[in-house]
Amino acid sequence: MRTSWALGVTMVLAVLVVAVTAKPWPAPDFKNCIDLPIESCCTPVLYNGTARKFTYQSWLPMRTRPAAHLVDAAYTAKIQKAYALMRALPDTDPRSFNNQAKLHCAYCDNHFFYPEYPNSRLEIHRNWLFLPWHRLFVYHHERILAKLLGDDTFALPFWDFDNQSAEKPEGNTYPLLYRNPTGFGPFGNSSALFDPLRLASSSYPRLVDFQDPFQFYPNRTDDDQRIKNAHAMYTQIVATPVLPTLFMGEPYRYGDVGAVGGGTIENKPHGSMHVWANLIKAQFTNSASDPVFYALHANVDRLWKIWKKIPGGVRKDPTDPDWLNTEFTFYDEDGKIVTAAVHQALDTNLLRSHTLPSTQNPHEALNPILMDPLVDSCTDCTLHRLLIKRS
Ligand code: C2O
């Protein structure tokens, strides 16, 4: 009797301690955004209603993200139209292309402040918020494009840059969809998916480079580049980051100061791909003002899913309530304010979002001698065969 009473008290105390110390970040109030002297990323507060709480849009059809290098003419016309419409929105509309890029920037570089912690501003990079924040941001971006098209089946493409197969069209080059400066169909001659600031060093048929995105050594052979990329993918996605915090970033709780430590996926391939894709826009300030940002992040999203499926059963999302209950604020497809929690970002089925399989996965993309014991899980081993042939 006495033991169970003591146990009860201990449990109540434990619950109280957790309640007092639990520190998920609350959703930022868009009114608490402060521009920096060097950077103005706060979107004007364009909607003053109460924020809606995000709920799954379970009525949506399952939307399927295709690989950007494999899309057909009909898809190309559709996404061209979507971005042309988004770019045509005035900046008095929070869904405008410009405001989307600003919202990404506002979540970086110390813009959102909380009166309770005047010295720490919300940062969604280089910590464990990186993956869920970007998934939810891209989700809402995709829903806005769908709304502009009047087509709820619309899904963004993913840039299949981890695919090191030499088969054409290649996944690991700049996708034609984004690199073609010319528009399509009735929406004018200039492509709404093109950005003129990209450097020639990443132009077709250059292969992506995760290790040396500045292209200091551009004379590598394509075969060597593929192997280098495959090694980087294997190290960053498969071999090193078994623990969630190594993969997605260090714990970062309400009131903590900034970039406590990014995960392997954020550093490479994510960071190096931004540099490779658009060096001039690789900064947080304006990276989301190149449309390829969203295809790059659709692939980061996909790699997160792949990481969880790597055999071994140890690669799992954190269960820490401070992570699960952190909340963010976005603009929804109607331009209204919505808050969504990290735990709502974890199941892509509930988000009604699928990704078409790539021809290759990062754990399939390396010399089988090095990737043992994962070699057993290889299903499409194009690069294996390529590497085996070479050696
Ligand atoms: Cu917020 Cu790819 O960065």
Side-chain angles (χ1 to χ4, degrees):
M1 190 65 189
R2 174 166 295 198
T3 324
S4 63
W5 181 84
L7 193 67
V9 170
T10 316
M11 277 166 65
V12 168
L13 281 177
V15 168
L16 281 177
V17 168
V18 168
V20 170
T21 55
K23 290 210 160 218
W25 284 87
D29 183 339
F30 281 171
K31 294 190 196 75
N32 291 342
C33 185
I34 299 187
D35 277 329
L36 312 180
I38 41 148
E39 218 174 50
S40 58
C41 293
C42 300
T43 45
V45 182
L46 299 165
Y47 175 77
N48 274 316
T50 328
R52 169 175 72 84
K53 289 260 178 213
F54 178 81
T55 48
Y56 295 116
Q57 300 180 299
S58 45
W59 47 269
L60 278 177
M62 194 52 100
R63 296 150 314 130
T64 305
R65 291 181 177 169
H69 64 298
L70 300 176
V71 298
D72 61 14
Y75 182 87
T76 302
K78 190 186 271 192
I79 190 171
Q80 279 289 338
K81 179 177 175 186
Y83 274 101
L85 291 170
M86 185 180 261
R87 285 183 188 271
L89 289 176
D91 287 335
T92 48
D93 188 320
R95 304 169 304 165
S96 76
F97 188 66
N98 206 8
N99 283 332
Q100 289 282 289
K102 282 178 116 183
L103 185 59
H104 173 256
C105 170
Y107 270 98
C108 330
D109 292 351
N110 301 315
H111 284 75
F112 285 125
F113 78 93
Y114 292 77
E116 197 182 344
Y117 289 105
N119 297 324
S120 63
R121 307 250 170 116
L122 181 57
E123 172 59 67
I124 46 81
H125 295 95
R126 303 197 193 105
N127 61 56
W128 68 2
L129 302 183
F130 169 73
L131 285 176
W133 184 87
H134 286 81
R135 177 173 283 169
L136 290 166
F137 176 59
V138 170
Y139 173 92
H140 286 98
H141 181 78
E142 191 173 52
R143 291 294 298 133
I144 293 169
L145 293 166
K147 177 83 184 202
L148 294 171
L149 287 171
D151 177 358
D152 282 330
T153 67
F154 177 77
L156 284 163
F158 69 92
W159 184 354
D160 194 11
F161 47 71
D162 50 293
N163 181 346
Q164 302 307 317
S165 162
E167 243 164 78
K168 287 187 193 320
E170 311 90 330
N172 60 350
T173 58
Y174 229 108
L176 178 65
L177 186 63
Y178 288 90
R179 74 172 185 261
N180 191 342
T182 316
F184 303 82
F187 306 102
N189 257 344
S190 58
S191 164
L193 306 185
F194 185 70
D195 188 282
L197 293 182
R198 298 174 194 152
L199 300 185
S201 54
S202 57
S203 58
Y204 192 80
R206 273 285 165 72
L207 301 183
V208 302
D209 191 335
F210 306 131
Q211 302 285 34
D212 178 24
F214 294 100
Q215 301 276 330
F216 288 133
Y217 305 101
N219 293 328
R220 206 171 287 136
T221 67
D222 280 359
D223 265 357
D224 284 347
Q225 187 62 58
R226 284 186 196 100
I227 292 165
K228 229 172 137 41
N229 285 343
H231 269 100
M233 287 309 293
Y234 185 75
T235 310
Q236 299 297 107
I237 308 291
V238 183
T240 317
V242 174
L243 294 173
T245 50
L246 290 176
F247 180 64
M248 44 182 89
E250 289 297 314
Y252 170 63
R253 303 168 208 280
Y254 187 30
D256 286 352
V257 175
V260 288
T264 52
I265 185 169
E266 181 176 358
N267 180 20
K268 288 176 208 166
H270 161 262
S272 49
M273 275 307 295
H274 273 306
V275 170
W276 194 86
N278 196 332
L279 176 63
I280 295 171
K281 287 192 172 179
Q283 301 305 315
F284 297 141
T285 322
N286 53 11
S287 58
S289 69
D290 180 336
V292 87
F293 172 98
Y294 302 92
L296 192 163
H297 271 279
N299 199 34
V300 171
D301 235 20
R302 170 183 156 270
L303 291 171
W304 178 9
K305 277 193 272 184
I306 288 174
W307 176 78
K308 287 201 267 188
K309 284 192 199 141
I310 293 172
V314 284
R315 294 164 181 86
K316 295 190 174 131
D317 289 331
T319 52
D320 189 318
D322 290 348
W323 187 68
L324 295 170
N325 296 324
T326 283
E327 291 193 318
F328 311 114
T329 312
F330 299 99
Y331 288 110
D332 70 10
E333 61 270 33
D334 297 315
K336 298 194 170 153
I337 290 174
V338 58
T339 61
V342 165
H343 66 82
Q344 294 177 302
L346 308 186
D347 184 337
T348 50
N349 285 320
L350 294 173
L351 296 172
R352 309 297 291 158
S353 181
H354 268 173
T355 313
L356 281 182
S358 162
T359 46
Q360 232 179 24
N361 282 336
H363 61 285
E364 295 165 350
L366 200 71
N367 188 324
I369 297 160
L370 294 175
M371 61 178 290
D372 175 69
L374 294 163
V375 64
D376 291 343
S377 67
C378 170
T379 49
D380 178 339
C381 309
T382 323
L383 189 71
H384 282 175
R385 287 194 286 270
L386 180 85
L387 293 177
I388 293 162
K389 243 188 275 156
R390 291 179 73 252
S391 52

